[in-house]
Amino acid sequence: MRRFFVWSALAALVGLLIAGGGYWAYWQFHARFQPVTITRHQGAIQTLLDGSGWVSGGGGGQPLWIVGYRDSAAMQRYEQQEGPKLRAAGVEVRVVVFARPDREGLEQSTAAERSTVAELWLTRDWSLYQRWTATPTASWTAAGLPRADGNLARMAVVEAGRDFSGELSDLLAASGLQTRWPLVIWRDRDGFLKACACTDPRSWAFIRDDLGAPDRVDPDAPPGPGLPPAPVDGVPPGSPPPLPYPTLPTVPPADAPAGPSATAPTTPASPGSPAPRATPQPRKAPEPTKQDDTTFY
């Protein structure tokens, strides 16, 4: 009887270890990368997103918000790798950039970054955002943009972006999401608001599944709904075709003898093309003429 209880306890212990290991593996490799369904303050979060200074390249489909700061490597990686896939599914990617507040008296943003953030929130210029992200941070000087430092109105816009990021983090924390940048927020097929702190690429597949985005983008595939068709041979659809290249006459070699027989037949030029030039005839060298005291050539 004692042996029975010993083996029963050992079997229970092994079962608990297996169950604990299975749960740990499930959490470690799957569950912790899943997005969070927002169950509280959905209306306040949606109002914050709609009123923010987001920029977008268009598309007109279901919106998806990417919230972060300029120097976030995870945000740049997500936008570059996942943005084309989401747009191929007809999703409108909206980017919200803010300048991080100072921490213990140490600035976490540059003057050029604050000026650019203020300009983006005020104008929502997508081309400016593209130029900014395509330029290394150390090389970006915000040339031609009004300075935010010393400008009360523009610094108020910068502070509004900081308040937006802080309030959004607090609202998402009520649903159990730990804030890490970038934050990606969208609505699934059933209309539920979801959020993801997408610092790890293993979280990205859940977003693609919710929005029906492909795992990879074929460059020859048609664009998603609401997106303009891709140009063909560099010519946008609906534009007039380029002019044909003119037919030029055959150029004779330099050492070919002059005369009618040396001229190669040419194809008649198409209308609108420049007329072919005539082959120059060699000029006879001048003969010397002698006067009384000078010889001229």
Side-chain angles (χ1 to χ4, degrees):
M1 193 70 178
R2 180 179 179 183
R3 182 178 297 179
F4 173 76
F5 283 114
V6 170
W7 283 106
S8 299
L10 183 60
L13 179 61
V14 172
L16 289 175
L17 292 176
I18 293 176
Y23 177 78
W24 176 86
Y26 171 76
W27 169 259
Q28 182 71 18
F29 300 107
H30 181 77
R32 70 189 182 101
F33 301 111
Q34 287 183 326
V36 174
T37 301
I38 306 303
T39 56
R40 301 181 61 185
H41 312 300
Q42 298 95 325
I45 293 174
Q46 188 66 58
T47 302
L48 269 180
L49 295 172
D50 293 337
S52 63
W54 52 268
V55 294
S56 171
Q62 180 179 354
L64 174 141
W65 284 268
I66 304 175
V67 185
Y69 54 91
R70 171 64 179 86
D71 290 340
S72 172
M75 176 177 175
Q76 298 177 26
R77 184 170 61 251
Y78 179 80
E79 186 180 357
Q80 292 171 2
Q81 297 183 18
E82 296 296 302
K85 302 174 186 178
L86 297 171
R87 295 185 180 94
V91 177
E92 181 183 1
V93 178
R94 299 178 178 181
V95 183
V96 184
V97 187
F98 63 91
R100 290 177 294 172
D102 300 344
R103 177 183 295 177
E104 298 182 358
L106 181 64
E107 287 189 345
Q108 297 191 90
S109 62
T110 62
E113 180 180 356
R114 293 189 290 272
S115 300
T116 309
V117 168
E119 185 71 14
L120 288 175
W121 275 63
L122 290 173
T123 64
R124 299 190 179 186
D125 189 348
W126 176 249
S127 62
L128 172 62
Y129 176 75
Q130 288 181 308
R131 295 196 306 270
W132 186 26
T133 54
T135 306
T137 305
S139 303
W140 180 261
T141 60
L145 300 181
R147 288 182 56 86
D149 294 354
N151 188 317
L152 294 179
R154 289 185 175 266
M155 279 306 299
V157 176
V158 174
E159 292 298 333
R162 293 170 173 173
D163 295 341
F164 161 81
S165 63
E167 187 174 354
L168 182 63
S169 300
D170 295 339
L171 293 175
L172 293 176
S175 296
L177 180 64
Q178 182 180 0
T179 301
R180 293 186 302 271
W181 309 107
L183 287 174
V184 181
I185 305 174
W186 73 100
R187 289 188 179 272
D188 62 9
R189 298 183 182 91
D190 299 324
F192 290 102
L193 192 64
K194 290 187 175 182
C196 170
C198 292
T199 56
D200 195 296
R202 286 172 286 188
S203 303
W204 302 351
F206 296 101
I207 303 176
R208 294 196 301 269
D209 291 342
D210 274 353
L211 299 176
D215 293 334
R216 61 182 61 186
V217 178
D218 185 2
D220 299 329
L227 298 178
V232 179
D233 295 335
V235 181
S239 301
L243 296 177
Y245 195 80
T247 303
L248 301 177
T250 305
V251 180
D255 55 351
S261 59
T263 305
T266 59
T267 305
S270 58
S273 61
R277 294 183 178 181
T279 305
Q281 299 294 333
R283 188 176 58 178
K284 185 179 179 181
E287 298 180 355
T289 59
K290 188 173 183 181
Q291 293 185 357
D292 295 338
D293 55 353
T294 308
T295 301
F296 294 92
Y297 287 90

